[in-house]
Amino acid sequence: MHTNLLLSVQNLSVAFDTRHGRVAVLDKVNLNLHKGETLAIVGESGSGKSVTAYAALGILDPAGKITNGKVEFEGRNLLELSSQEMRKLRGRDFAMIFQNPRTALNPIRKVGRQIEDVLQAHNPGMGAKARKEAAIEQLASVKITDPTRRYNAYPYELSGGMCQRVMIAIALACKPRLLIADEPTTGLDVTTQVVIMDLVHELAQAHGMATLLITHDLGLAADYCSRIAVMHAGQVLEDAPVATLFKGARHPYTARLMAATLQPGITLEKLVSIPGQLPDLRQPQPSCRFSTRCERCLPQCKEPGLALMPYSNNTSHLIACRNPL
Amino acid sequence: MGLNESLFSQFWIYLKDLLQGDMGRSFTTGQPVTQDLMERLPASLELTLLGLFIAIIVGLPLGMLAATHPNSWIDHICRLLTTSGVCLPTFFTGLVLIYIFYYLLGWAPAPMGRLDLFSSPPQDVTGFYLIDSALAGEWAIFRSALAQLILPSITLALFALAPLARITRAGLLGVLNSDFIRSAKAAGLPRRVILVRYALRNSLLPVVNTMGMVFSYLLGINVLVEKVFAWPGIGSYALEALIASDYAPVQGFVLSIAVLYVLLNLIVDLLCSLIDPRVERAA
Ligand SMILES: Nc1ncnc2c1ncn2[C@@H]1O[C@H](COP(=O)(O)OP(=O)(O)OP(=O)(O)O)[C@@H](O)[C@H]1O
Ligand SMILES: [Mg+2]
C-alpha cells in the first residue's frame, strides 16, 4: 500500500501575512492520494481548499508561508526542491485546472499556441512542426471538433465549456500522473458541467491518472470520486470513502453538510443551512475550529491536541472530533 | 486679405485658401506659414521623438522591475521619479539641467539651437539632423546634433517618463495577479516566458495608449522647452508669433498640432490591434 502512495500532505500549515497580521489559514492538513485514485476535497467557500492545492504545487501567493509540514510526491519532499526543480514537475508530473476557464487562459494568445507553450516548456528538444501536431492532437483528445481550425482560435471566440476543454488539454499535454481540478465546473451551465466532469473522469481513467477534485458540492464529489475529505476553516475534519461517508458520517460538520445538500428523497424544505459562519482566522483559534459552531461541543473540544485519527479502528475512515456522532 | 469683409466671408476665404495648402503669411518672417511650418516641423519632431524614445527605454524597464520587485529599492526609485516627474514644470527642469550641465559642469554645449556655431546642416533628406548626417556619413555633424539634442530631449523624457513607468508598473502588477498567470505557473512555464509572453504583452495595451497620450502632451510642452533651448521648431515659432500678435502662424500651428494628434491616435489604434486580437474585432 505504501508504495502506491502518490501524493501525501502531512501536517501542512500555511499562514498569510496580511495587513491585519498573520492569518493561520491551514492548520495541520493531512491528505493521502494513491495512484489512480480520485479524491475530493469538500468544504465551504474560504475553508482553504485552494490554498492546500496551491501550497502543494508551490504556486502559493508570495504572502503565504508554509509554516509546518511536508508534501511528498512519490516519496520526494516537494517543499525541499528548488523553485526550478518544482517548475519542471509542474505541468509534467502534476497539473491543475481552475474555475472560470475564460479568465484562466491567456486572452491574447491562440489556444493552440498556449498548448505548445507547455509542450515546449517540458520537451525543449521537440521541433516546431511536431509541437503543432501534438497540440492539435491534444485538442482532439478533449473532443474539440475541428481541432485544426480551433488551434487558431482566441479564448474570447470560444464558449466557457470550450475554454475548460482547452485548459484540460493544456493540463494533460504532458501526461501528468496527478490532476488537481479546482472547482472546474463553477461558472458553467449545468449540462456543460456534466460534460466536462465526464470528460475529466474519462481521461483520468484512460491515463490511469489520479484526480484531486476540489468542490463545495458533495453530490458532485460523490458522483466522480471514491473518497471525500471534508475541510472546514483550514482543517480536515473527516476523510472517508464515499459510501462510508454517506452511510454514516461521524463528524457533526459532515452531517450538517449532508443535510444542506440536495439528495434524492430530501425535499427543499428539509434542506438545512449550517448555523454560523467560518471563524475569523485573524483571531486565535481553539484546537477544533468548528467548536464555536458545533452543538455537540464539549469543554475539552477547545483544548489543544486535536488530530485526524481512524474512527473505531477503521483505517480508511479518518475523523478529527472528540465527540463524534 | 479681406479684413474689411464680414466674418463669414473671411472664414470662407480662409477655408478656401486652406484647401490649397495656403495658411496665410506671417507678418514677422514675411514667408508663407506653410513653408515656415514645414521647415521647422522636423526640428520639433526630432526632439519630441527622441524624448519619447528615451522615456520608453528607461520608463518601461523601470516600471517592469518595480512591478516584479514590489517594495524593493527599485520600486522606491520608480515612485520617486514618477512623482517628481509630474511635479516639476518642464521649463524649470530644462533650466536646472542647463544650469548644471552647461553653466556649472560645462559638459553640454550652449543651448542655442540644433547645431553648434561651426557646423552647417547636413544635406536635407528627412529633415532629422541625426538621420541626415548619418546618411551622409558626416559624423562630426552627427555628434554636434546629438550633443545639442541631449539636454532638451532629456528634459522632455523626464516629463514623459513618469506616466509611462507608472502605467507599466500598475498594468504589469495587475496582470501578474490575474488568473491566467496562475495557470501558466501551474503548467510549469519558465519564469521568463510567463513574464514576457504572458504578462508583458497583456499589459502593453494601456502602455501604448499612454504613449500616445504622452506624445501629444510632449507636442504641447515643446513650446516652452523649445523656447528655453532656442530650438528652431514649430513651438518656439508659434510662441514668437503669439507675442508679436501674428495670428496666421498661431492658427497654422494649432491646426498642424491637431492633425498630428489625429495621426497619432490612428497609429496608436493600429498598434493596439496588432497587440490585442480583441481590439481588431471591436473596430
Ligand atoms: N493571498 C491571500 N492573502 C490572504 N489571505 C488569503 C489569500 N489567499 C487565500 N486567503 C485566505 O485563505 C482562506 C482560504 O482560501 P481558499 O481560497 O483556499 O478557500 P477555498 O476553500 O478555495 O474557497 P472557495 O470555495 O471560495 O474557492 C480564506 O479565508 C482566504 O481569505
Ligand atoms: Mg478555491
Side-chain angles (χ1 to χ4, degrees):
Chain A
M1 172 154 165
H2 205 79
T3 52
N4 237 350
L5 198 58
L6 187 67
L7 178 77
S8 159
V9 176
Q10 297 162 21
N11 290 325
L12 184 69
S13 299
V14 169
F16 278 92
D17 287 320
T18 69
R19 221 171 283 157
H20 315 283
R22 194 159 254 235
V23 186
V25 168
L26 293 190
D27 179 35
K28 303 213 181 84
V29 168
N30 282 286
L31 290 171
N32 285 310
L33 186 60
H34 299 274
K35 290 197 174 119
E37 194 186 19
T38 46
L39 169 70
I41 304 182
V42 177
E44 284 168 80
S45 193
S47 54
K49 308 180 296 286
S50 300
V51 170
T52 307
Y54 296 163
L57 257 59
I59 54 170
L60 211 52
D61 221 77
K65 300 273 176 314
I66 296 175
T67 51
N68 184 36
K70 251 194 200 175
V71 179
E72 283 187 351
F73 188 80
E74 298 185 316
R76 282 168 90 184
N77 188 354
L78 297 185
L79 303 184
E80 283 169 356
L81 298 184
S82 71
S83 62
Q84 200 45 239
E85 289 170 310
M86 262 317 265
R87 175 189 80 67
K88 287 190 179 145
L89 293 184
R90 277 198 298 272
R92 199 188 67 197
D93 287 338
F94 36 80
M96 187 158 176
I97 58 176
F98 301 88
Q99 66 181 66
N100 294 333
R102 280 173 172 288
T103 56
L105 289 168
N106 185 347
I108 59 170
R109 197 160 172 79
K110 290 175 178 169
V111 295
R113 288 286 190 159
Q114 300 190 41
I115 300 178
E116 281 194 36
D117 287 339
V118 186
L119 290 167
Q120 189 177 23
H122 297 290
N123 314 289
M126 204 172 190
K129 196 153 163 278
R131 216 164 46 220
K132 181 164 182 181
E133 276 165 16
I136 291 174
E137 200 176 297
Q138 200 55 30
L139 284 173
S141 78
V142 291
K143 308 201 173 128
I144 288 181
T145 49
D146 202 354
T148 323
R149 193 168 57 87
R150 288 285 164 64
Y151 172 95
N152 287 312
Y154 289 97
Y156 71 95
E157 297 170 321
L158 302 176
S159 67
M162 242 355 147
C163 285
Q164 193 60 290
R165 282 168 198 261
V166 173
M167 276 306 295
I168 296 171
I170 290 175
L172 303 191
C174 299
K175 310 258 176 298
R177 272 158 294 162
L178 167 65
L179 175 70
I180 301 181
D182 190 355
E183 310 196 26
T185 57
T186 316
L188 302 179
D189 67 80
V190 186
T191 6
T192 320
Q193 283 184 11
V194 176
V195 176
I196 290 291
M197 283 311 298
D198 284 345
L199 179 69
V200 171
H201 190 68
E202 189 188 317
L203 290 171
Q205 297 268 296
H207 298 180
M209 181 177 66
T211 322
L212 182 64
L213 173 69
I214 294 175
T215 175
H216 42 242
D217 183 348
L218 258 182
L220 194 76
D223 285 345
Y224 291 98
C225 296
S226 56
R227 222 147 47 79
I228 295 181
V230 176
M231 273 188 85
H232 173 269
Q235 297 179 316
V236 175
L237 298 184
E238 190 163 11
D239 180 343
V242 170
T244 317
L245 205 68
F246 274 75
K247 249 190 292 155
R250 291 299 161 191
H251 200 286
Y253 179 66
T254 318
R256 291 205 156 269
L257 211 53
M258 299 244 181
T261 307
L262 261 183
Q263 288 168 43
I266 291 192
T267 55
L268 214 52
E269 291 80 60
K270 283 211 185 141
L271 218 55
V272 208
S273 70
I274 303 176
Q277 36 185 288
L278 283 180
D280 181 0
L281 297 180
R282 285 171 292 180
Q283 314 300 334
Q285 290 298 314
S287 168
C288 173
R289 293 179 174 185
F290 185 59
S291 57
T292 47
R293 303 168 77 182
C294 182
E295 77 277 24
R296 294 173 61 84
C297 175
L298 302 174
Q300 66 261 35
C301 284
K302 313 249 179 199
E303 280 160 24
L306 184 74
L308 199 60
M309 290 201 291
Y311 176 75
S312 71
N313 289 330
N314 178 358
T315 49
S316 73
H317 187 174
L318 306 173
I319 177 171
C321 184
R322 286 164 173 137
N323 188 16
L325 292 165
Chain B
M1 288 204 319
L3 286 181
N4 54 342
E5 307 263 348
S6 73
L7 274 183
F8 273 116
S9 18
Q10 283 186 42
F11 186 54
W12 180 242
I13 295 171
Y14 171 69
L15 284 183
K16 255 194 337 204
D17 288 349
L18 197 59
L19 272 182
Q20 294 159 358
D22 179 2
M23 294 201 253
R25 199 173 266 275
S26 161
F27 301 149
T28 32
T29 64
Q31 297 210 77
V33 170
T34 318
Q35 187 190 333
D36 276 347
L37 283 176
M38 290 318 262
E39 274 169 14
R40 286 151 193 268
L41 190 61
S44 291
L45 278 182
E46 184 172 38
L47 175 59
T48 315
L49 285 174
L50 188 65
L52 187 67
F53 178 71
I54 295 175
I56 289 172
I57 58 169
V58 177
L60 291 201
L62 192 65
M64 274 177 71
L65 283 174
T68 47
H69 303 87
N71 291 323
S72 65
W73 59 270
I74 193 117
D75 194 11
H76 294 310
I77 288 186
C78 181
R79 201 164 304 145
L80 186 79
L81 264 177
T82 53
T83 334
S84 55
V86 283
C87 290
L88 297 175
T90 35
F91 65 87
F92 179 73
T93 336
L95 287 176
V96 169
L97 287 181
I98 290 175
Y99 180 72
I100 297 177
F101 291 101
Y102 167 62
Y103 182 74
L104 288 186
L105 297 173
W107 292 354
M112 310 244 289
R114 301 178 78 182
L115 289 174
D116 63 46
L117 288 174
F118 313 105
S119 311
S120 51
Q123 170 146 35
D124 191 22
V125 183
T126 59
F128 289 10
Y129 282 4
L130 284 185
I131 297 178
D132 288 352
S133 60
L135 284 179
E138 308 210 43
W139 298 108
I141 299 181
F142 183 85
R143 267 225 304 285
S144 165
L146 188 63
Q148 295 287 348
L149 266 168
I150 283 178
L151 280 195
S153 55
I154 287 183
T155 308
L156 288 179
L158 278 178
F159 172 82
L161 194 74
L164 276 178
R166 210 181 51 233
I167 296 289
T168 308
R169 177 181 179 275
L172 198 58
L173 263 183
V175 170
L176 282 174
N177 277 322
S178 60
D179 284 357
F180 68 89
I181 293 295
R182 192 184 51 200
S183 7
K185 280 186 196 152
L189 299 192
R191 206 181 125 76
R192 192 176 33 82
V193 174
I194 294 182
L195 203 59
V196 177
R197 217 182 279 168
Y198 280 63
L200 195 60
R201 271 201 63 191
N202 270 284
S203 56
L204 226 48
L205 213 51
V207 174
V208 169
N209 275 311
T210 312
M211 251 182 240
M213 210 179 61
V214 164
F215 189 70
S216 49
Y217 283 167
L218 287 185
L219 286 177
I221 277 179
N222 239 345
V223 176
L224 290 176
V225 174
E226 284 181 6
K227 188 73 199 158
V228 169
F229 287 91
W231 201 258
I234 57 171
S236 55
Y237 175 63
L239 197 63
E240 274 153 30
L242 196 68
I243 291 166
S245 303
D246 188 359
Y247 72 92
V250 178
Q251 273 178 339
F253 170 75
V254 171
L255 198 66
S256 37
I257 290 286
V259 171
L260 275 179
Y261 273 30
V262 172
L263 281 180
L264 196 69
N265 275 309
L266 187 70
I267 294 174
V268 166
D269 281 353
L270 287 176
L271 268 180
C272 285
S273 69
L274 268 186
I275 295 169
D276 190 335
R278 288 168 298 184
V279 175
E280 192 180 7
R281 213 30 97 78

